Amino acid sequence: MAILDIVTYPDKRLSKPSDTVTEIDDTIKTLIEDMAETMFDAPGAGLAAVQVGVNKKIIVVNTTSDEEDAENTYFALINPEIVEADGEYTSADEGCLSVPEFRATVKRFNRVKVTAQDVDGNDLELNEEGFPAVVLQHEIDHLDGTLFIDRISKLKREMYKRKVKKWMKGR
Ligand code: NI
């Protein structure tokens, strides 16, 4: 297992839609394990393959409990797709490992139904509500090349862009 480098905004790779996974081989399985380790190390609630520079429809979701000394747990979804979504959920303080030092409130669906494959290629269907549904929406957005800052007001987004420009000048 290895901790991978996380691609950060404004890297153009983040705005490119990911390709469908057609074969779940050992390379994909190793990538998923490395993505999980990278997510736990950060730590983050989820991670999409595009965030480690791999343009494939794969996400991992952190399911580690809040209890102290809890063992790290996760699940991986291959080719996830939102097939149903309804209700409204105000996702306060949403953040992203690819958008460092920034958090914002994002309007999300409250409930989603997601279809995907697991690492063994079995078809899955997930029904989630509230925060877990937000994590799925956020990670699946990455596979479409969408970041959470694309879903906030233009004013807030410009604020972040100016901050990034300043950092890049300072390098
Ligand atoms: Ni993200």
Side-chain angles (χ1 to χ4, degrees):
M1 298 233 277
I3 292 168
L4 308 169
D5 285 336
I6 295 176
V7 174
T8 56
Y9 177 87
D11 194 307
K12 289 201 164 50
R13 284 176 286 178
L14 291 169
S15 49
K16 216 178 138 197
S18 293
D19 294 330
T20 300
V21 176
T22 51
E23 200 201 335
I24 306 164
D25 54 17
D26 286 347
T27 311
I28 297 281
K29 288 181 183 174
T30 304
L31 169 69
I32 288 171
E33 285 173 12
D34 290 346
M35 281 171 63
E37 199 181 348
T38 305
M39 171 179 68
F40 294 139
D41 179 67
L47 192 72
V50 65
Q51 292 182 273
V52 293
V54 179
N55 199 234
K56 289 188 191 301
K57 288 189 177 173
I58 302 167
I59 65 170
V60 291
V61 174
N62 199 341
T63 54
T64 307
S65 106
D66 288 336
E67 278 166 54
E68 225 180 301
D69 300 325
E71 226 171 280
N72 285 331
T73 53
Y74 75 99
F75 63 82
L77 298 180
I78 297 165
N79 302 324
E81 202 181 323
I82 295 172
V83 291
E84 271 179 41
D86 56 49
E88 252 189 42
Y89 185 96
T90 305
S91 169
D93 262 348
E94 196 166 316
C96 177
L97 297 175
S98 293
V99 184
E101 309 288 325
F102 189 69
R103 293 195 163 261
T105 299
V106 187
K107 282 247 181 298
R108 296 286 190 185
F109 291 110
N110 182 50
R111 190 192 67 88
V112 291
K113 184 199 266 191
V114 171
T115 58
Q117 281 103 51
D118 66 13
V119 279
D120 300 313
N122 302 311
D123 287 328
L124 294 178
E125 189 186 287
L126 276 86
N127 286 283
E128 297 292 348
E129 213 180 292
F131 180 72
V134 170
V135 175
L136 289 173
Q137 290 168 77
H138 178 115
E139 299 313 327
I140 294 171
D141 262 357
H142 275 298
L143 306 182
D144 295 326
T146 302
L147 295 173
F148 82 99
I149 50 171
D150 297 320
R151 294 194 182 277
I152 62 175
S153 75
K154 197 172 174 223
L155 188 80
K156 280 243 175 102
R157 187 166 51 246
E158 291 305 322
M159 232 165 69
Y160 183 68
K161 283 185 182 174
R162 275 203 299 276
K163 205 156 119 174
V164 171
K165 263 188 201 152
K166 232 182 185 174
W167 290 339
M168 293 179 80
K169 259 190 212 158
R171 264 181 211 168

